[in-house]
């Protein structure tokens, strides 16, 4: 897991993840077909409600105690992500991810594993 950075000139740059999560700005840039690289990001404690997560790659990301309520992750890559202590009420996870795997990550901080 590395530090987020620029993958190529057309990629939305994340200078600081804490500064980055301004959902409206992020969602607008996503609508304008801006690509962003969120693999291995530290998103702990952030409010991600109303985040447009469709097609995002959050593999190996750390979502400890994040507010994920109502987020649709059905088309998001969460391989290796951890949701320890996160608020997940109403969150829609990928169908390949078992309830047991989500529970282990939520309660014990394990990285979620699934095959797609």
């Amino acid at each position: 897991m590395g530090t987020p950075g620029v993958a190529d000139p057309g990629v939305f740059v994340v200078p600081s993840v804490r500064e980055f999560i301004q959902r409206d700005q992020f969602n607008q840039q996503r609508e304008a077909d801006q690509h962003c690289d969120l693999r291995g990001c530290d998103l702990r404690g952030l409010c991600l409600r109303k985040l447009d997560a469709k097609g995002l790659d959050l593999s190996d990301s750390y979502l400890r105690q994040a507010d994920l309520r109502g987020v649709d992750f059905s088309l998001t890559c969460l391989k290796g992500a951890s949701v320890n202590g996160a608020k997940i009420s109403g969150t829609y996870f990928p169908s390949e991810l078992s309830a047991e795997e989500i529970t282990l990550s939520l309660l014990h901080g394990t990285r979620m594993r699934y095959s797609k």
Side-chain angles (χ1 to χ4, degrees):
M1 289 182 272
T3 304
V6 178
D8 64 54
V11 174
F12 177 66
V13 179
V14 183
S16 163
V17 175
R18 298 227 179 256
E19 294 170 16
F20 149 80
I21 298 298
Q22 295 176 8
R23 291 177 311 266
D24 294 335
Q25 179 185 6
F26 176 74
N27 289 337
Q28 287 172 357
Q29 290 187 352
R30 289 280 319 276
E31 289 173 8
D33 293 326
Q34 293 273 347
H35 177 74
C36 62
D37 185 7
L38 297 176
R39 294 173 290 169
C41 279
D42 181 1
L43 302 171
R44 63 182 150 181
L46 296 178
C47 178
L48 302 176
R49 295 175 80 175
K50 299 183 181 179
L51 177 74
D52 178 8
K54 181 180 177 182
L56 286 178
D57 185 353
L58 292 172
S59 57
D60 297 321
S61 290
Y62 193 51
L63 300 161
R64 180 180 185 196
Q65 297 180 338
D67 188 348
L68 308 175
R69 292 178 289 180
V71 177
D72 183 356
F73 287 124
S74 62
L75 300 174
T76 304
C77 180
L78 292 172
K79 291 180 183 178
S82 175
V83 293
N84 188 350
K87 297 176 183 174
I88 63 167
S89 177
T91 301
Y92 191 41
F93 288 95
S95 60
E96 299 84 11
L97 195 53
S98 71
E100 181 180 32
E101 198 70 31
I102 297 167
T103 301
L104 284 170
S105 184
L106 185 64
L107 298 178
H108 303 290
T110 60
R111 301 235 172 233
M112 296 183 285
R113 302 164 295 177
Y114 63 101
S115 58
K116 190 170 187 179

